[in-house]
Amino acid sequence: MSFDRSIKIAPSILSADFANFGQEIQAVEREGADWIHVDVMDGHFVPNLTFGPMAVKAFRPHVKTVMDVHLMISPVDQYIDAYADAGADILTAHVEAGPHIHRTLQAIRGAGMKAGVALNPSTPAEAVEHVLDLTDLVCVMTVNPGFGGQKFIDMTAKIRKLRALIGDRPIHIEIDGGVDPNTAPLVVDAGADVLVAGSAVFRGGSVENPSPYGENIRAIKASVAG
């Protein structure tokens, strides 16, 4: 996985057809998805329950791009090896999920994955300042985590601060929540380069009719072009 700051769209399969995950992943990749974003929720750290390691392992053969696994779970550390075995390329843990994010990031990299750290809306950029050298991606939540389809929360000041803290280090800034052609320009202008989009990508399409996925992805990319 080489590093570049080109704008990447990472559809969240939380908005896909749950009965057709393999075909949905293939369809959205064919239509231009750069990464596939997998939201793992435990019903404890966030008020929803989604996928475990076995589900992620089942998704893996269908993902030809990058499998970006976002853990909204607490605790994290005892599950790191399971998600490495499931084939995650990037594994992101929340700074709020436990007392030792430094150790967690070390363990993620030690298991052979890229390490991401996520920040809830109320958590300041400075919370990750001292772990950036262990980090490949910072995920800025622009909704409160737990459900898809929520209203965008403006975090542009935090993104700008992160962009300054990161400097020239090869670290992605990912935005998760409420991304669409209206909000994408705000976060990209502030310094983001990976845009997670769920309903904004999957809206209007299906496995049988995937062309809207491509139209939706292109609309987001067009909104930030130039």
Side-chain angles (χ1 to χ4, degrees):
M1 233 181 95
S2 59
F3 180 84
D4 71 87
R5 289 201 199 283
S6 64
I7 303 304
K8 286 164 278 294
I9 307 298
S12 166
I13 61 169
L14 198 60
S15 295
D17 176 359
F18 276 35
N20 281 304
F21 275 125
Q23 291 175 288
E24 286 275 56
I25 289 166
Q26 292 171 25
V28 80
E29 284 191 337
R30 281 195 303 270
E31 292 293 333
D34 299 289
W35 293 6
I36 297 295
H37 189 81
V38 182
D39 289 303
V40 173
M41 306 183 190
D42 64 358
H44 162 70
F45 181 68
V46 292
N48 199 358
L49 193 61
T50 60
F51 317 115
M54 290 176 68
V56 174
K57 193 168 192 170
F59 304 154
R60 178 70 260 187
H62 302 282
V63 179
K64 305 304 180 200
T65 56
V66 171
M67 188 157 69
D68 173 33
V69 178
H70 178 190
L71 299 183
M72 286 169 269
I73 69 173
S74 177
V76 171
D77 291 13
Q78 65 253 44
Y79 299 104
I80 290 171
D81 287 343
Y83 285 100
D85 180 63
D89 294 305
I90 304 168
L91 195 66
T92 296
H94 272 257
V95 72
E96 308 88 0
H100 304 296
I101 190 63
H102 188 285
R103 177 186 295 159
T104 299
L105 294 169
Q106 279 183 317
I108 291 171
R109 281 190 165 181
M113 296 172 287
K114 298 283 189 184
V117 60
L119 299 169
N120 283 338
S122 63
T123 303
E126 290 81 1
V128 298
E129 183 175 0
H130 299 292
V131 294
L132 288 174
D133 287 333
L134 285 170
T135 302
D136 301 288
L137 176 148
V138 179
C139 175
V140 177
M141 296 302 300
T142 43
V143 296
N144 287 296
F147 294 98
Q150 296 185 71
K151 186 171 165 46
F152 176 82
I153 301 169
D154 187 350
M155 289 284 138
T156 48
K158 185 193 294 190
I159 298 163
R160 290 184 196 283
K161 195 164 285 187
L162 282 167
R163 183 67 259 151
L165 289 172
I166 287 167
D168 61 0
R169 284 177 277 206
I171 300 172
H172 295 291
I173 297 179
E174 178 176 76
I175 305 303
D176 189 353
V179 170
D180 62 26
N182 297 314
T183 57
L186 302 175
V187 296
V188 168
D189 183 62
D193 61 291
V194 181
L195 307 179
V196 176
S199 51
V201 167
F202 284 97
R203 185 181 295 118
S206 65
V207 166
E208 294 76 24
N209 177 33
S211 60
Y213 299 164
E215 293 163 14
N216 294 337
I217 289 169
R218 288 189 293 277
I220 297 170
K221 286 199 170 179
S223 76
V224 299

